[in-house]
Amino acid sequence: MIQFILKTLFKVSFDPIFNNSYTSIPTVKKEEIFAEKHLKITLFILILASFSGFSQGTKKLVWEENFDGYALNTTNWNYTTGDGCPDLCGFGNNERQIYREENIAVEDGNLVITAVKVGDAYYSGKIDTKEKREFKYGTFEIRAKVPGGQGIWPAIWMLGTTIDEIGWPDCGEIDIMEFVGRQPDTLHTTLHSPSHYGATASTQVTPIKNITDAFHVFKIDWDENAITFSIDGKKVFAYAPEEKNDNNYPFKHPFYFLLNMAVGGNFGGPEVNDSIFPRTYYIDYIKVYQ
């Protein structure tokens, strides 16, 4: 099948690659044959790589957000504004930022979230896909670059769509990535459930040297039996309780994405180094395979 595809696309014979025979080109020198074979092998590898970009094993790409254009696509995303008051001041974590739309931008194929300090106030950005892009099970891959600095708290996370009916933590929370500037070179991956939440959540701390210098790829594989976390292709944490119920595995219904950068708070702070601002958090893409 692969030979047929390659022959059809490139109008060339790939027989020498697969059967190591030179009889079909009797007048060409061996050096030229080897050069031609190497070129064909390279093309073969490139085509295989292009196919792998659209699938993860038997899963298919079902949604891809590349943050193209010059503005946030509100078909997919909602803005969060304010400080959480009056319902949940400080967003339940004593966070110090006020969220504004103007702290969210789309530039050069990235989502850009910028935290700033103006006078005595901190401002940042937060978006989510609630009621627009919600998913149950699959492989979720996000490429992002976090900023450093005491008091900064960028995150990639998901909440259960049942949050308005049953509340948190009963709805479940999947923290694909959290970084706090007071802990340089350290990433957190965490699950919150009724049986384990807040300070007792199921979590893994992963050291990554010079993490703020480059983009990294964060991934989870999630099904009815387990959730596995990976960073840059390396598995760092797996959660698979032997006996599952609504208390320890509320991860059997759709979830939606949240992207934000908090300032201060119980986890990100409490102290904030005011000299670091502005700080910028970049998200390159999100891919969902099912």
Side-chain angles (χ1 to χ4, degrees):
M1 181 61 182
I2 292 174
Q3 293 184 56
F4 173 77
I5 294 171
L6 294 174
K7 288 178 183 179
T8 303
L9 288 174
F10 295 99
K11 309 297 184 186
V12 296
S13 171
F14 280 77
D15 293 340
I17 293 177
F18 296 99
N19 63 26
N20 205 32
S21 171
Y22 303 109
T23 58
S24 60
I25 319 176
T27 61
V28 181
K29 295 178 182 179
K30 276 190 176 182
E31 292 81 0
E32 294 173 331
I33 295 174
F34 279 116
E36 183 181 4
K37 287 178 69 177
H38 292 160
L39 174 61
K40 292 172 182 177
I41 291 170
T42 300
L43 293 172
F44 174 69
I45 292 171
L46 288 173
I47 288 179
L48 287 181
S50 69
F51 279 115
S52 68
F54 293 96
S55 66
Q56 290 272 348
T58 59
K59 298 174 184 175
K60 301 298 180 184
L61 183 67
V62 297
W63 184 55
E64 183 174 15
E65 172 63 273
N66 290 302
F67 300 107
D68 295 324
Y70 301 96
L72 186 69
N73 182 354
T74 53
T75 301
N76 296 328
W77 296 97
N78 309 297
Y79 290 98
T80 294
T81 57
D83 59 3
C85 292
D87 297 330
L88 196 63
C89 293
F91 298 96
N93 300 301
N94 293 314
E95 297 166 26
R96 299 169 67 175
Q97 79 287 338
I98 300 169
Y99 288 125
R100 305 184 300 186
E101 291 186 19
E102 53 260 52
N103 291 78
I104 297 283
V106 174
E107 299 174 357
D108 301 321
N110 293 302
L111 177 74
V112 182
I113 302 177
T114 303
V116 299
K117 187 173 188 287
V118 180
D120 293 329
Y122 303 94
Y123 297 94
S124 189
K126 180 179 182 179
I127 59 174
D128 66 71
T129 64
K130 187 178 182 182
E131 298 181 355
K132 294 182 176 180
R133 295 286 181 176
E134 301 173 342
F135 304 94
K136 177 182 176 181
Y137 305 147
T139 294
F140 304 80
E141 181 180 294
I142 304 95
R143 184 173 184 262
K145 182 176 184 290
V146 298
Q150 172 75 40
I152 292 297
W153 181 6
I156 302 164
W157 50 306
M158 304 180 78
L159 281 173
T161 57
T162 58
I163 188 168
D164 292 335
E165 291 77 39
I166 63 176
W168 184 93
D170 292 16
C171 65
E173 177 179 326
I174 304 171
D175 295 330
I176 299 172
M177 182 283 296
E178 290 181 287
F179 174 74
V180 289
R182 63 182 172 80
Q183 296 178 344
D185 304 330
T186 303
L187 281 174
H188 298 259
T189 49
T190 305
L191 293 168
H192 297 269
S193 65
S195 63
H196 299 89
Y197 63 92
T200 63
S202 301
T203 190
Q204 173 67 36
V205 177
T206 302
I208 299 181
K209 191 174 181 180
N210 302 320
I211 189 170
T212 60
D213 291 349
F215 279 85
H216 297 274
V217 176
F218 307 97
K219 186 174 79 168
I220 63 167
D221 291 292
W222 167 33
D223 61 26
E224 66 274 15
N225 297 312
I227 301 177
T228 302
F229 296 78
S230 301
I231 301 173
D232 294 331
K234 180 181 178 181
K235 176 181 171 181
V236 297
F237 177 45
Y239 179 75
E242 197 168 312
E243 294 185 11
K244 298 175 181 62
N245 52 56
D246 290 341
N247 282 327
N248 66 10
Y249 205 82
F251 309 109
K252 295 185 177 182
H253 53 263
F255 277 60
Y256 60 90
F257 283 104
L258 301 97
L259 305 172
N260 73 295
M261 179 157 58
V263 178
N266 300 337
F267 189 43
E271 294 83 12
V272 177
N273 179 0
D274 290 344
S275 69
I276 67 173
F277 295 98
R279 275 295 184 260
T280 306
Y281 172 32
Y282 298 93
I283 299 93
D284 180 15
Y285 65 73
I286 298 175
K287 296 180 181 180
V288 178
Y289 301 86
Q290 289 182 331

